[in-house]
Amino acid sequence: MIDWQQIGHKVLEKLRSPLRSLLHHSALNYHPVHFMTAEEQARYTPQMVLDDLIAGNERFSRGEYTVRDHSAAICSSYSSQYPKAFVLSCIDSRVPVEDIFDQGIGDIFVGRVAGNYATDDMVASMEYACAVAGAKLILVLGHENCGAIKGAIQGVELGLLTGLLDKIKPAICNCEHDGTEHRPDNYDYTHNVAVWNIRHSLQQIRRSSPILSQLEAEGRLMIRGAFYAVSTGVIEFFD
C-alpha cells in the first residue's frame, strides 16, 4: 500500500531548500523566525521605531512582503514580550495592523476600538505597554471610509455604541467650517473628521495620562497619529 502522506512529506522537504533560496533572492524578505528581545528593544529610540514602521508600510504598499514563520515565532514568545510600539486602531476588518506595517509577532501591541478613540481603558493599556513593557511609540491610526466616523456624522444611536460615537463629536465640530459638504458619503468631509478625531485622541492620551506625558517629555516615548488609505495601502504620518 502506497503511503501518500509520507511521499508528500518527502516532496515538501526537497522543495523547502530551493523555496528558501528563491525567497532570499526575490523581492520578498525572508525572516523565518525573529522575535524582539529585551536587548533589541533597548537599542531602539522612539524615532527609530517610527522610522521602522514608516519603512514597513512602504514595503507593504509596494507589495514587498516579509515572509515569516509565525508558528515558530509563537513558540519562541511564550515566556516574554518586548514590543517596540503600541498602535491604537479602529475595529475595521480591512486594517490588518501588523501586515500594513510589515511587522511580525511580538513587534507591536495592537489596541482596537470603534473610531480609534483613546478611551480610559485603552490609555491604561498604553501605560502598561510603555511604562512596564517598554514600548517606545504610541501611534493612533485612523483609516479611510471609517464606519464609526460616518455613524457619528449621522448621529447613529445603538446601545453602548452611542456613547462611544459621541466621543467623535468634537472632531465633527472642528470641521464645521471646513468648506466641504457635510454628508457621510462625502469623502473629503469624512476624511477631515477622521483626521481631527485622531488629533483628539492624541490630546486625550496626553491629557488623561501623566505617566505617558512624562515619558514623552523625557524623550523616552513618541506619541503620533497616522491615517491609513485602504484603497492604496499607504499610511500618512503626522504629529
PDB file of all heavy atoms in Angstrom, residues 2 16 18 20 23 40 43 47 51 75 86 90 109 121 149 154 157 159 165 169 191-192 206-208 216 222 234 236:
ATOM      1  N   ILE A   2       0.595   2.191  -0.883  1.00  0.00           N
ATOM      2  CA  ILE A   2       1.399   3.399  -1.018  1.00  0.00           C
ATOM      3  C   ILE A   2       1.059   4.382   0.104  1.00  0.00           C
ATOM      4  O   ILE A   2      -0.103   4.702   0.337  1.00  0.00           O
ATOM      5  CB  ILE A   2       1.160   4.075  -2.378  1.00  0.00           C
ATOM      6  CG1 ILE A   2       1.554   3.123  -3.516  1.00  0.00           C
ATOM      7  CG2 ILE A   2       1.962   5.366  -2.485  1.00  0.00           C
ATOM      8  CD1 ILE A   2       1.234   3.659  -4.890  1.00  0.00           C
ATOM      9  N   ARG A  16      11.681  22.551   0.155  1.00  0.00           N
ATOM     10  CA  ARG A  16      11.862  23.594   1.159  1.00  0.00           C
ATOM     11  C   ARG A  16      13.136  24.407   0.934  1.00  0.00           C
ATOM     12  O   ARG A  16      13.134  25.635   0.976  1.00  0.00           O
ATOM     13  CB  ARG A  16      11.892  22.949   2.546  1.00  0.00           C
ATOM     14  CG  ARG A  16      11.842  23.947   3.677  1.00  0.00           C
ATOM     15  CD  ARG A  16      11.512  23.257   4.972  1.00  0.00           C
ATOM     16  NE  ARG A  16      10.152  22.752   4.939  1.00  0.00           N
ATOM     17  CZ  ARG A  16       9.691  21.768   5.705  1.00  0.00           C
ATOM     18  NH1 ARG A  16      10.498  21.174   6.551  1.00  0.00           N
ATOM     19  NH2 ARG A  16       8.437  21.379   5.625  1.00  0.00           N
ATOM     20  N   PRO A  18      15.089  24.903  -1.935  1.00  0.00           N
ATOM     21  CA  PRO A  18      15.052  25.840  -3.069  1.00  0.00           C
ATOM     22  C   PRO A  18      14.057  26.977  -2.888  1.00  0.00           C
ATOM     23  O   PRO A  18      14.277  28.082  -3.378  1.00  0.00           O
ATOM     24  CB  PRO A  18      14.670  24.941  -4.257  1.00  0.00           C
ATOM     25  CG  PRO A  18      14.128  23.695  -3.665  1.00  0.00           C
ATOM     26  CD  PRO A  18      14.805  23.526  -2.345  1.00  0.00           C
ATOM     27  N   ARG A  20      13.351  28.442  -0.040  1.00  0.00           N
ATOM     28  CA  ARG A  20      14.013  29.418   0.827  1.00  0.00           C
ATOM     29  C   ARG A  20      15.025  30.236   0.026  1.00  0.00           C
ATOM     30  O   ARG A  20      15.136  31.448   0.193  1.00  0.00           O
ATOM     31  CB  ARG A  20      14.718  28.699   1.978  1.00  0.00           C
ATOM     32  CG  ARG A  20      13.759  28.187   3.050  1.00  0.00           C
ATOM     33  CD  ARG A  20      14.497  27.373   4.085  1.00  0.00           C
ATOM     34  NE  ARG A  20      13.594  26.940   5.150  1.00  0.00           N
ATOM     35  CZ  ARG A  20      13.897  26.016   6.058  1.00  0.00           C
ATOM     36  NH1 ARG A  20      15.079  25.430   6.021  1.00  0.00           N
ATOM     37  NH2 ARG A  20      13.032  25.681   6.985  1.00  0.00           N
ATOM     38  N   LEU A  23      13.229  32.824  -2.031  1.00  0.00           N
ATOM     39  CA  LEU A  23      12.770  33.956  -1.229  1.00  0.00           C
ATOM     40  C   LEU A  23      13.916  34.898  -0.893  1.00  0.00           C
ATOM     41  O   LEU A  23      13.756  36.115  -0.882  1.00  0.00           O
ATOM     42  CB  LEU A  23      12.113  33.451   0.062  1.00  0.00           C
ATOM     43  CG  LEU A  23      10.745  32.773  -0.107  1.00  0.00           C
ATOM     44  CD1 LEU A  23      10.335  32.106   1.196  1.00  0.00           C
ATOM     45  CD2 LEU A  23       9.699  33.766  -0.559  1.00  0.00           C
ATOM     46  N   GLU A  40      17.276  44.155  21.925  1.00  0.00           N
ATOM     47  CA  GLU A  40      16.873  44.860  20.705  1.00  0.00           C
ATOM     48  C   GLU A  40      15.958  46.028  21.041  1.00  0.00           C
ATOM     49  O   GLU A  40      16.107  47.133  20.505  1.00  0.00           O
ATOM     50  CB  GLU A  40      16.164  43.900  19.758  1.00  0.00           C
ATOM     51  CG  GLU A  40      17.070  42.934  19.049  1.00  0.00           C
ATOM     52  CD  GLU A  40      16.294  41.993  18.161  1.00  0.00           C
ATOM     53  OE1 GLU A  40      15.379  41.309  18.659  1.00  0.00           O
ATOM     54  OE2 GLU A  40      16.587  41.937  16.954  1.00  0.00           O
ATOM     55  N   ARG A  43      17.777  49.039  22.331  1.00  0.00           N
ATOM     56  CA  ARG A  43      18.564  49.782  21.344  1.00  0.00           C
ATOM     57  C   ARG A  43      17.719  50.760  20.533  1.00  0.00           C
ATOM     58  O   ARG A  43      18.238  51.709  19.956  1.00  0.00           O
ATOM     59  CB  ARG A  43      19.286  48.816  20.398  1.00  0.00           C
ATOM     60  CG  ARG A  43      20.469  48.091  21.039  1.00  0.00           C
ATOM     61  CD  ARG A  43      21.352  47.472  19.985  1.00  0.00           C
ATOM     62  NE  ARG A  43      20.689  46.423  19.246  1.00  0.00           N
ATOM     63  CZ  ARG A  43      20.716  45.135  19.567  1.00  0.00           C
ATOM     64  NH1 ARG A  43      21.389  44.743  20.640  1.00  0.00           N
ATOM     65  NH2 ARG A  43      20.095  44.237  18.826  1.00  0.00           N
ATOM     66  N   GLN A  47      12.274  57.545  17.696  1.00  0.00           N
ATOM     67  CA  GLN A  47      12.366  57.908  16.277  1.00  0.00           C
ATOM     68  C   GLN A  47      12.711  56.696  15.421  1.00  0.00           C
ATOM     69  O   GLN A  47      12.196  56.551  14.305  1.00  0.00           O
ATOM     70  CB  GLN A  47      13.419  58.997  16.078  1.00  0.00           C
ATOM     71  CG  GLN A  47      13.498  59.521  14.642  1.00  0.00           C
ATOM     72  CD  GLN A  47      12.220  60.182  14.184  1.00  0.00           C
ATOM     73  OE1 GLN A  47      11.706  61.076  14.855  1.00  0.00           O
ATOM     74  NE2 GLN A  47      11.676  59.758  13.041  1.00  0.00           N
ATOM     75  N   ASP A  51      10.529  55.314  12.323  1.00  0.00           N
ATOM     76  CA  ASP A  51      11.152  55.098  11.018  1.00  0.00           C
ATOM     77  C   ASP A  51      10.949  53.659  10.545  1.00  0.00           C
ATOM     78  O   ASP A  51      10.743  53.411   9.350  1.00  0.00           O
ATOM     79  CB  ASP A  51      12.648  55.410  11.082  1.00  0.00           C
ATOM     80  CG  ASP A  51      12.938  56.897  11.276  1.00  0.00           C
ATOM     81  OD1 ASP A  51      12.020  57.708  11.045  1.00  0.00           O
ATOM     82  OD2 ASP A  51      14.065  57.233  11.669  1.00  0.00           O
ATOM     83  N   CYS A  75       6.069  29.961  19.261  1.00  0.00           N
ATOM     84  CA  CYS A  75       6.752  29.066  20.193  1.00  0.00           C
ATOM     85  C   CYS A  75       7.903  29.777  20.904  1.00  0.00           C
ATOM     86  O   CYS A  75       8.228  29.460  22.050  1.00  0.00           O
ATOM     87  CB  CYS A  75       7.282  27.843  19.445  1.00  0.00           C
ATOM     88  SG  CYS A  75       5.981  26.777  18.794  1.00  0.00           S
ATOM     89  N   PHE A  86       2.959  50.692  20.341  1.00  0.00           N
ATOM     90  CA  PHE A  86       1.539  50.424  20.592  1.00  0.00           C
ATOM     91  C   PHE A  86       0.754  51.152  19.510  1.00  0.00           C
ATOM     92  O   PHE A  86       0.885  52.370  19.364  1.00  0.00           O
ATOM     93  CB  PHE A  86       1.113  50.935  21.972  1.00  0.00           C
ATOM     94  CG  PHE A  86      -0.304  50.594  22.355  1.00  0.00           C
ATOM     95  CD1 PHE A  86      -0.574  49.620  23.308  1.00  0.00           C
ATOM     96  CD2 PHE A  86      -1.388  51.246  21.768  1.00  0.00           C
ATOM     97  CE1 PHE A  86      -1.883  49.306  23.669  1.00  0.00           C
ATOM     98  CE2 PHE A  86      -2.694  50.937  22.111  1.00  0.00           C
ATOM     99  CZ  PHE A  86      -2.943  49.963  23.060  1.00  0.00           C
ATOM    100  N   CYS A  90      -8.791  51.241  14.625  1.00  0.00           N
ATOM    101  CA  CYS A  90     -10.229  51.002  14.616  1.00  0.00           C
ATOM    102  C   CYS A  90     -10.473  49.488  14.552  1.00  0.00           C
ATOM    103  O   CYS A  90      -9.553  48.704  14.291  1.00  0.00           O
ATOM    104  CB  CYS A  90     -10.839  51.712  13.404  1.00  0.00           C
ATOM    105  SG  CYS A  90     -12.655  51.694  13.365  1.00  0.00           S
ATOM    106  N   PHE A 109       2.189  46.087  20.110  1.00  0.00           N
ATOM    107  CA  PHE A 109       0.896  45.921  20.767  1.00  0.00           C
ATOM    108  C   PHE A 109      -0.164  46.530  19.843  1.00  0.00           C
ATOM    109  O   PHE A 109       0.072  47.584  19.235  1.00  0.00           O
ATOM    110  CB  PHE A 109       0.840  46.679  22.092  1.00  0.00           C
ATOM    111  CG  PHE A 109       1.673  46.100  23.190  1.00  0.00           C
ATOM    112  CD1 PHE A 109       2.899  46.666  23.520  1.00  0.00           C
ATOM    113  CD2 PHE A 109       1.223  45.014  23.922  1.00  0.00           C
ATOM    114  CE1 PHE A 109       3.665  46.156  24.552  1.00  0.00           C
ATOM    115  CE2 PHE A 109       1.980  44.489  24.963  1.00  0.00           C
ATOM    116  CZ  PHE A 109       3.209  45.066  25.272  1.00  0.00           C
ATOM    117  N   ASP A 121      -9.836  53.002  29.323  1.00  0.00           N
ATOM    118  CA  ASP A 121      -9.317  51.634  29.382  1.00  0.00           C
ATOM    119  C   ASP A 121      -8.170  51.448  28.399  1.00  0.00           C
ATOM    120  O   ASP A 121      -7.179  50.769  28.707  1.00  0.00           O
ATOM    121  CB  ASP A 121     -10.425  50.623  29.072  1.00  0.00           C
ATOM    122  CG  ASP A 121     -11.439  50.494  30.190  1.00  0.00           C
ATOM    123  OD1 ASP A 121     -11.144  50.969  31.308  1.00  0.00           O
ATOM    124  OD2 ASP A 121     -12.515  49.924  29.953  1.00  0.00           O
ATOM    125  N   ILE A 149     -16.824  56.807  11.992  1.00  0.00           N
ATOM    126  CA  ILE A 149     -16.860  58.234  11.660  1.00  0.00           C
ATOM    127  C   ILE A 149     -18.171  58.572  10.963  1.00  0.00           C
ATOM    128  O   ILE A 149     -18.847  59.557  11.307  1.00  0.00           O
ATOM    129  CB  ILE A 149     -15.668  58.605  10.755  1.00  0.00           C
ATOM    130  CG1 ILE A 149     -14.340  58.428  11.505  1.00  0.00           C
ATOM    131  CG2 ILE A 149     -15.811  60.034  10.238  1.00  0.00           C
ATOM    132  CD1 ILE A 149     -14.143  59.328  12.680  1.00  0.00           C
ATOM    133  N   GLN A 154     -23.802  60.767  11.200  1.00  0.00           N
ATOM    134  CA  GLN A 154     -25.241  60.528  11.027  1.00  0.00           C
ATOM    135  C   GLN A 154     -25.998  60.550  12.348  1.00  0.00           C
ATOM    136  O   GLN A 154     -27.230  60.536  12.357  1.00  0.00           O
ATOM    137  CB  GLN A 154     -25.455  59.172  10.355  1.00  0.00           C
ATOM    138  CG  GLN A 154     -24.986  59.113   8.910  1.00  0.00           C
ATOM    139  CD  GLN A 154     -25.077  57.711   8.342  1.00  0.00           C
ATOM    140  OE1 GLN A 154     -24.477  56.770   8.862  1.00  0.00           O
ATOM    141  NE2 GLN A 154     -25.840  57.562   7.276  1.00  0.00           N
ATOM    142  N   GLU A 157     -27.548  55.906  16.921  1.00  0.00           N
ATOM    143  CA  GLU A 157     -27.697  55.506  18.317  1.00  0.00           C
ATOM    144  C   GLU A 157     -27.959  54.010  18.365  1.00  0.00           C
ATOM    145  O   GLU A 157     -28.910  53.515  17.767  1.00  0.00           O
ATOM    146  CB  GLU A 157     -28.850  56.268  18.983  1.00  0.00           C
ATOM    147  CG  GLU A 157     -28.605  57.770  19.079  1.00  0.00           C
ATOM    148  CD  GLU A 157     -29.693  58.486  19.861  1.00  0.00           C
ATOM    149  OE1 GLU A 157     -30.622  57.794  20.356  1.00  0.00           O
ATOM    150  OE2 GLU A 157     -29.630  59.724  19.984  1.00  0.00           O
ATOM    151  N   GLY A 159     -27.286  51.124  21.450  1.00  0.00           N
ATOM    152  CA  GLY A 159     -26.754  50.571  22.685  1.00  0.00           C
ATOM    153  C   GLY A 159     -25.548  51.331  23.207  1.00  0.00           C
ATOM    154  O   GLY A 159     -25.490  52.564  23.193  1.00  0.00           O
ATOM    155  N   LEU A 165     -19.571  56.737  20.021  1.00  0.00           N
ATOM    156  CA  LEU A 165     -19.655  57.626  18.860  1.00  0.00           C
ATOM    157  C   LEU A 165     -19.759  59.091  19.287  1.00  0.00           C
ATOM    158  O   LEU A 165     -19.311  59.980  18.564  1.00  0.00           O
ATOM    159  CB  LEU A 165     -20.847  57.242  17.987  1.00  0.00           C
ATOM    160  CG  LEU A 165     -20.782  55.867  17.309  1.00  0.00           C
ATOM    161  CD1 LEU A 165     -22.001  55.656  16.408  1.00  0.00           C
ATOM    162  CD2 LEU A 165     -19.509  55.700  16.505  1.00  0.00           C
ATOM    163  N   LYS A 169     -17.777  63.512  18.326  1.00  0.00           N
ATOM    164  CA  LYS A 169     -18.445  64.774  18.019  1.00  0.00           C
ATOM    165  C   LYS A 169     -17.525  65.997  18.039  1.00  0.00           C
ATOM    166  O   LYS A 169     -17.700  66.913  17.223  1.00  0.00           O
ATOM    167  CB  LYS A 169     -19.640  64.970  18.960  1.00  0.00           C
ATOM    168  CG  LYS A 169     -20.800  64.039  18.631  1.00  0.00           C
ATOM    169  CD  LYS A 169     -21.998  64.284  19.521  1.00  0.00           C
ATOM    170  CE  LYS A 169     -23.152  63.375  19.118  1.00  0.00           C
ATOM    171  NZ  LYS A 169     -24.347  63.577  19.995  1.00  0.00           N
ATOM    172  N   HIS A 191     -12.994  62.362   5.638  1.00  0.00           N
ATOM    173  CA  HIS A 191     -11.544  62.335   5.835  1.00  0.00           C
ATOM    174  C   HIS A 191     -11.122  63.392   6.849  1.00  0.00           C
ATOM    175  O   HIS A 191     -10.325  63.122   7.764  1.00  0.00           O
ATOM    176  CB  HIS A 191     -10.831  62.563   4.503  1.00  0.00           C
ATOM    177  CG  HIS A 191      -9.332  62.640   4.625  1.00  0.00           C
ATOM    178  ND1 HIS A 191      -8.672  63.815   4.909  1.00  0.00           N
ATOM    179  CD2 HIS A 191      -8.371  61.690   4.527  1.00  0.00           C
ATOM    180  CE1 HIS A 191      -7.368  63.589   4.971  1.00  0.00           C
ATOM    181  NE2 HIS A 191      -7.160  62.311   4.740  1.00  0.00           N
ATOM    182  N   ASN A 192     -11.659  64.597   6.701  1.00  0.00           N
ATOM    183  CA  ASN A 192     -11.317  65.676   7.633  1.00  0.00           C
ATOM    184  C   ASN A 192     -11.734  65.342   9.056  1.00  0.00           C
ATOM    185  O   ASN A 192     -10.991  65.584  10.011  1.00  0.00           O
ATOM    186  CB  ASN A 192     -11.979  66.979   7.187  1.00  0.00           C
ATOM    187  CG  ASN A 192     -11.395  67.522   5.899  1.00  0.00           C
ATOM    188  OD1 ASN A 192     -10.335  67.078   5.450  1.00  0.00           O
ATOM    189  ND2 ASN A 192     -12.090  68.475   5.286  1.00  0.00           N
ATOM    190  N   ARG A 206      -2.542  62.376  26.121  1.00  0.00           N
ATOM    191  CA  ARG A 206      -1.643  63.246  26.892  1.00  0.00           C
ATOM    192  C   ARG A 206      -2.358  63.845  28.103  1.00  0.00           C
ATOM    193  O   ARG A 206      -1.764  64.005  29.175  1.00  0.00           O
ATOM    194  CB  ARG A 206      -1.108  64.354  25.994  1.00  0.00           C
ATOM    195  CG  ARG A 206      -0.208  63.832  24.868  1.00  0.00           C
ATOM    196  CD  ARG A 206       0.325  64.971  24.024  1.00  0.00           C
ATOM    197  NE  ARG A 206       1.298  64.509  23.047  1.00  0.00           N
ATOM    198  CZ  ARG A 206       1.073  64.483  21.733  1.00  0.00           C
ATOM    199  NH1 ARG A 206      -0.088  64.891  21.241  1.00  0.00           N
ATOM    200  NH2 ARG A 206       2.010  64.049  20.913  1.00  0.00           N
ATOM    201  N   ARG A 207      -3.633  64.164  27.917  1.00  0.00           N
ATOM    202  CA  ARG A 207      -4.397  64.815  28.990  1.00  0.00           C
ATOM    203  C   ARG A 207      -4.708  63.838  30.124  1.00  0.00           C
ATOM    204  O   ARG A 207      -4.667  64.216  31.309  1.00  0.00           O
ATOM    205  CB  ARG A 207      -5.685  65.399  28.414  1.00  0.00           C
ATOM    206  CG  ARG A 207      -6.540  66.150  29.436  1.00  0.00           C
ATOM    207  CD  ARG A 207      -7.640  66.933  28.759  1.00  0.00           C
ATOM    208  NE  ARG A 207      -8.412  66.109  27.849  1.00  0.00           N
ATOM    209  CZ  ARG A 207      -8.520  66.317  26.542  1.00  0.00           C
ATOM    210  NH1 ARG A 207      -7.881  67.323  25.969  1.00  0.00           N
ATOM    211  NH2 ARG A 207      -9.258  65.534  25.775  1.00  0.00           N
ATOM    212  N   SER A 208      -5.022  62.604  29.782  1.00  0.00           N
ATOM    213  CA  SER A 208      -5.515  61.661  30.795  1.00  0.00           C
ATOM    214  C   SER A 208      -4.418  60.824  31.439  1.00  0.00           C
ATOM    215  O   SER A 208      -4.672  60.168  32.453  1.00  0.00           O
ATOM    216  CB  SER A 208      -6.571  60.724  30.177  1.00  0.00           C
ATOM    217  OG  SER A 208      -6.001  59.955  29.140  1.00  0.00           O
ATOM    218  N   GLU A 216       6.954  61.006  27.396  1.00  0.00           N
ATOM    219  CA  GLU A 216       7.136  61.770  26.164  1.00  0.00           C
ATOM    220  C   GLU A 216       8.044  62.975  26.422  1.00  0.00           C
ATOM    221  O   GLU A 216       8.940  63.280  25.609  1.00  0.00           O
ATOM    222  CB  GLU A 216       5.784  62.229  25.620  1.00  0.00           C
ATOM    223  CG  GLU A 216       5.894  62.927  24.274  1.00  0.00           C
ATOM    224  CD  GLU A 216       4.554  63.374  23.734  1.00  0.00           C
ATOM    225  OE1 GLU A 216       3.663  63.715  24.546  1.00  0.00           O
ATOM    226  OE2 GLU A 216       4.391  63.393  22.500  1.00  0.00           O
ATOM    227  N   MET A 222       7.352  58.460  22.009  1.00  0.00           N
ATOM    228  CA  MET A 222       6.816  59.343  20.986  1.00  0.00           C
ATOM    229  C   MET A 222       5.338  58.998  20.803  1.00  0.00           C
ATOM    230  O   MET A 222       4.965  57.819  20.767  1.00  0.00           O
ATOM    231  CB  MET A 222       7.576  59.159  19.667  1.00  0.00           C
ATOM    232  CG  MET A 222       7.139  60.090  18.552  1.00  0.00           C
ATOM    233  SD  MET A 222       8.098  59.803  17.018  1.00  0.00           S
ATOM    234  CE  MET A 222       9.688  60.482  17.495  1.00  0.00           C
ATOM    235  N   VAL A 234      -1.325  53.003   1.613  1.00  0.00           N
ATOM    236  CA  VAL A 234      -0.362  53.992   2.052  1.00  0.00           C
ATOM    237  C   VAL A 234      -0.814  54.640   3.366  1.00  0.00           C
ATOM    238  O   VAL A 234      -1.994  54.985   3.512  1.00  0.00           O
ATOM    239  CB  VAL A 234      -0.137  55.071   0.975  1.00  0.00           C
ATOM    240  CG1 VAL A 234       0.769  56.187   1.493  1.00  0.00           C
ATOM    241  CG2 VAL A 234       0.456  54.441  -0.275  1.00  0.00           C
ATOM    242  N   GLU A 236      -0.281  57.855   5.988  1.00  0.00           N
ATOM    243  CA  GLU A 236       0.226  59.208   6.187  1.00  0.00           C
ATOM    244  C   GLU A 236       0.479  59.408   7.680  1.00  0.00           C
ATOM    245  O   GLU A 236      -0.418  59.166   8.494  1.00  0.00           O
ATOM    246  CB  GLU A 236      -0.793  60.245   5.678  1.00  0.00           C
ATOM    247  CG  GLU A 236      -0.445  61.683   5.998  1.00  0.00           C
ATOM    248  CD  GLU A 236      -1.592  62.640   5.739  1.00  0.00           C
ATOM    249  OE1 GLU A 236      -2.688  62.169   5.349  1.00  0.00           O
ATOM    250  OE2 GLU A 236      -1.407  63.846   5.966  1.00  0.00           O
TER     251      GLU A 236
END
